[in-house]
Amino acid sequence: MEFTHLIIGFITLVILEIILGIDNLILINVLAARLPKHQQQLARRLGLMVALVTRLLLLGMLAWLAKLTAPLFTVADITLTWRDLILLGGGLFLLYKSTQEIHHAFSQATGAVAAHTGKAKLWPTLIQIGVLDVVFSLDSVITAIGMVDEVWLMATAVIVAVIVMLVAVDRIGDFIYKHPTVKMLAFALLFLVGVALVADGLHFHIPRGYIYFAVGFALVVEMLNIASDQRRAKAAAGRKKTKK
């Protein structure tokens, strides 16, 4: 019976780690898209490897993680900890980054600026990904600690989840950036996650399920729109052939 519980806990944890990694996956794709085309795939994969290393290091520092919740100081009746400060910093960065990317997307659409693809450098991009991985890894690792007791089981679940994301990262990235409206939804998700991180840092917890449901619903609607556009394009192409 104990083995069955271990298997169920392991499978559940892998699924949760993948779900919690979706926003990290989108962030990696957003930052990698600013690199030259030949470096984007490398940046995606290195970004996920950095995420894996970060999660495993945090798992190995369980005692340090426990100290992150020790009070540091109080501001306006809110007692802040190191964990709160990390979440606040990461959330503010996501708000800035998603707003900046939305601005670029609209500017490019109106012809106000040239495309920014290829402007970024590989190592500064990987450093940004690494810093944000720490923020995203906190939720992931804390979830793992709450789900199972065995550290080796947590580490195995994290490794499996990252392997799954490594397989999917290029397909997800290519799909997002071939469809500008899906790209905008990705930025919206990052913005919402930034709001949630800032709220968590200020002790106002927003259940992630609400955020993922809202964006998931919008994504389903967008998939229907894409399918409808493709059918209309095929119908238009068929009419042109008929006229010829």
Side-chain angles (χ1 to χ4, degrees), residues 167-226:
V167 172
V169 64
D170 290 329
R171 294 178 183 176
I172 292 174
D174 292 341
F175 181 79
I176 287 175
Y177 290 99
K178 282 179 182 176
H179 300 88
T181 49
V182 176
K183 180 180 174 182
M184 198 61 67
L185 282 178
F187 295 148
L189 174 59
L190 287 181
F191 188 89
L192 289 175
V193 172
V195 171
L197 289 176
V198 171
D200 279 350
L202 296 175
H203 299 181
F204 298 101
H205 180 66
I206 301 174
R208 294 297 187 271
Y210 294 160
I211 295 174
Y212 292 138
F213 173 79
V215 176
F217 181 79
L219 190 59
V220 168
V221 173
E222 185 57 34
M223 294 303 99
L224 294 174
N225 286 333
I226 290 173

Side-chain angles (χ1 to χ4, degrees), residues 101-139:
E101 294 294 336
I102 290 171
H103 170 74
H104 286 325
F106 275 111
S107 297
Q108 290 170 26
T110 57
V113 297
H116 286 256
T117 301
K119 298 290 185 181
K121 303 294 183 184
L122 180 60
W123 288 110
T125 299
L126 289 177
I127 290 172
Q128 287 186 67
I129 291 173
V131 171
L132 266 295
D133 277 338
V134 173
V135 178
F136 286 115
S137 295
L138 281 177
D139 276 350

Side-chain angles (χ1 to χ4, degrees), residues 34-104:
R34 308 299 293 276
L35 292 166
K37 192 70 177 176
H38 68 279
Q39 292 183 334
Q40 291 181 11
Q41 186 181 59
L42 175 63
R44 291 169 186 165
R45 296 187 179 282
L46 286 178
L48 278 174
M49 295 309 297
V50 170
L52 173 60
V53 172
T54 302
R55 282 164 169 74
L56 293 178
L57 284 175
L58 289 177
L59 277 174
M61 299 169 68
L62 296 180
W64 177 74
L65 278 177
K67 294 178 183 178
L68 284 179
T69 56
L72 286 177
F73 53 87
T74 301
V75 178
D77 295 329
I78 299 176
T79 301
L80 297 176
T81 66
W82 277 114
R83 179 178 181 274
D84 296 330
L85 294 179
I86 292 172
L87 292 176
L88 277 170
L92 290 173
F93 178 82
L94 279 185
L95 290 176
Y96 164 76
K97 194 67 183 177
S98 56
T99 302
Q100 185 184 49
E101 294 294 336
I102 290 171
H103 170 74
H104 286 325

